[in-house]
């Protein structure tokens, strides 16, 4: 398992994409069920500061990936650690490729019906051999949850991608995870919406220069309340580096 450090009290695993995939593969082949893979980014780190329950849930996760340049920068600044970006959206697709290659079955839970259906179509085309053994949109009623858990278990899926947004997806896993027989659960937030194009991900150029956050800001100005957390986060990291012992 990769080394785990803390950024402003929030745990983060020192992995790059290759390491994340090796860890995920080991977890899929291990004996424990419901191993959680969660994404750590500045927005999440700030949210975790305000939510003790969520922070505790993250602490118990099997793999905490440095989801974006903010987390990578903070890890390098605070611990000098060698760490690479592992965007959750890319890890998900790489896990689909791994699943197609190794015959792991996958299940998708979350997002709007047309997004869920469209994303599964796209992924099945993109990764020939990918066995999607089930999918449900993210608007299942509480009374149907037992049936959903049974459906996931009966599907024989080893990997569950859960796309309810945070902290909804973590709360769901906390409640139902113990009953699941899947090996790996990745929280993927709004990733399916980016696959279908319902929400735009930054083009290559912006990603290469680590400006994905800026692209999203100009395309969805209402994200300003979310993005404003970035400078706050930077200041917190700088304060910890230079002013705490
Ligand atoms: N969503 C859902 N059920 C709900 C509320 C939201 O499936 O009851 C889905 C929504 O359709 C979207 C995702 O959860 O696909 C939320 O994406 P967001 O970008 O807000 O999540 P984040 O990546 O920021 O955690």
């Amino acid at each position: 398992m990769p080394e785990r450090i803390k950024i402003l009290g929030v745990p983060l695993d020192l992995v790059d994409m290759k390491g994340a995939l090796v860890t995920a593969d080991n977890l899929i082949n291990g004996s424990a069920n419901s191993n959680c893979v969660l994404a750590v980014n500045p927005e999440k780190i700030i949210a975790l500061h305000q939510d003790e329950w969520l922070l505790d849930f993250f602490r118990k996760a099997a793999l905490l990936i440095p989801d974006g340049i903010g987390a990578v920068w903070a890890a390098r600044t605070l611990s000098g650690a060698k760490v690479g970006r592992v965007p959750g959206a890319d890890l998900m697709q790489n896990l689909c490729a791994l699943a197609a290659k190794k015959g792991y079955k996958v299940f998708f839970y979350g997002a709007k019906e047309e997004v869920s259906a469209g994303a599964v179509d796209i992924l099945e085309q993109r990764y020939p051999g990918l066995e999607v053994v089930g999918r449900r949109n993210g608007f299942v009623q509480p009374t149907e949850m037992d049936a959903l858990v049974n459906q996931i278990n009966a599907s024989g899926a080893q990997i569950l991608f859960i796309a309810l947004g945070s902290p909804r997806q973590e709360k769901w896993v906390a409640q139902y995870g113990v009953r699941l027989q899947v090996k790996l659960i990745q929280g993927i937030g709004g990733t399916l919406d980016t696959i279908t194009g319902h929400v735009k991900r930054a083009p290559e150029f912006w990603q290469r220069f680590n400006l994905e956050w800026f692209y999203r800001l100009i395309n969805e100005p209402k994200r300003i309340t979310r993005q404003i957390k970035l400078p706050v986060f930077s200041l917190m990291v700088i304060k910890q580096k230079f002013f705490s012992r």
Side-chain angles (χ1 to χ4, degrees):
M1 294 303 285
E3 186 190 343
R4 185 163 283 190
I5 61 161
K6 272 190 188 158
I7 298 176
L8 306 175
V10 172
L12 173 79
D13 291 328
L14 296 182
V15 280
D16 55 13
M17 183 59 81
K18 211 170 141 207
L21 280 166
V22 169
T23 305
D25 200 15
N26 289 338
L27 292 168
I28 292 167
N29 289 294
S31 54
N33 287 347
S34 300
N35 295 288
C36 245
V37 181
L38 300 171
V40 176
N41 54 45
E43 195 188 336
K44 211 51 93 39
I45 290 172
I46 290 182
L48 293 174
H49 273 198
Q50 290 150 9
D51 188 336
E52 192 56 42
W53 180 88
L54 198 57
L55 178 59
D56 194 49
F57 186 82
F58 266 63
R59 283 197 191 108
K60 292 184 216 144
L63 180 61
L64 294 168
I65 53 169
D67 178 45
I69 192 61
V72 168
W73 169 76
R76 285 181 185 163
T77 305
L78 293 176
S79 71
K82 277 208 174 108
V83 59
R85 254 173 96 232
V86 185
D90 294 346
L91 178 64
M92 192 220 85
Q93 300 231 20
N94 288 338
L95 282 173
C96 285
L98 181 77
K101 192 171 136 208
K102 296 217 170 177
Y104 303 144
K105 296 177 182 131
V106 304
F107 195 107
F108 289 87
Y109 167 42
K112 295 192 191 99
E113 178 57 23
E114 75 265 25
V115 171
S116 163
V120 166
D121 275 353
I122 292 168
L123 291 167
E124 281 176 337
Q125 279 173 35
R126 205 171 278 170
Y127 304 103
L130 177 65
E131 228 186 309
V132 180
V133 287
R135 63 161 193 88
R136 290 292 291 274
N137 68 47
F139 299 88
V140 173
Q141 294 306 307
T143 51
E144 295 172 57
M145 283 307 170
D146 285 341
L148 173 60
V149 169
N150 293 339
Q151 183 188 353
I152 296 169
N153 286 339
S155 75
Q158 282 102 341
I159 305 175
L160 170 65
F161 293 113
I162 179 161
L164 300 176
S166 189
R168 198 178 278 108
Q169 59 201 22
E170 289 84 4
K171 296 236 151 95
W172 190 87
V173 175
Q175 192 168 355
Y176 298 100
V178 281
R179 289 164 53 194
L180 291 172
Q181 285 152 22
V182 296
K183 291 292 174 191
L184 197 75
I185 304 174
Q186 186 188 353
I188 58 169
T191 299
L192 299 182
D193 301 76
T194 62
I195 290 175
T196 56
H198 283 76
V199 173
K200 279 205 172 53
R201 214 180 153 198
E204 218 29 71
F205 169 86
W206 298 81
Q207 292 187 39
R208 186 150 8 107
F209 289 97
N210 295 320
L211 289 170
E212 191 159 6
W213 60 273
F214 186 57
Y215 177 88
R216 290 187 77 177
L217 178 61
I218 43 187
N219 278 279
E220 297 171 66
K222 64 176 189 303
R223 288 181 68 92
I224 188 73
T225 50
R226 297 171 74 158
Q227 300 282 9
I228 204 80
K229 291 173 184 161
L230 282 169
V232 173
F233 173 76
S234 309
L235 287 174
M236 285 164 78
V237 171
I238 289 166
K239 189 166 158 244
Q240 173 161 333
K241 177 157 175 79
F242 293 107
F243 300 104
S244 61
R245 339 196 257 126

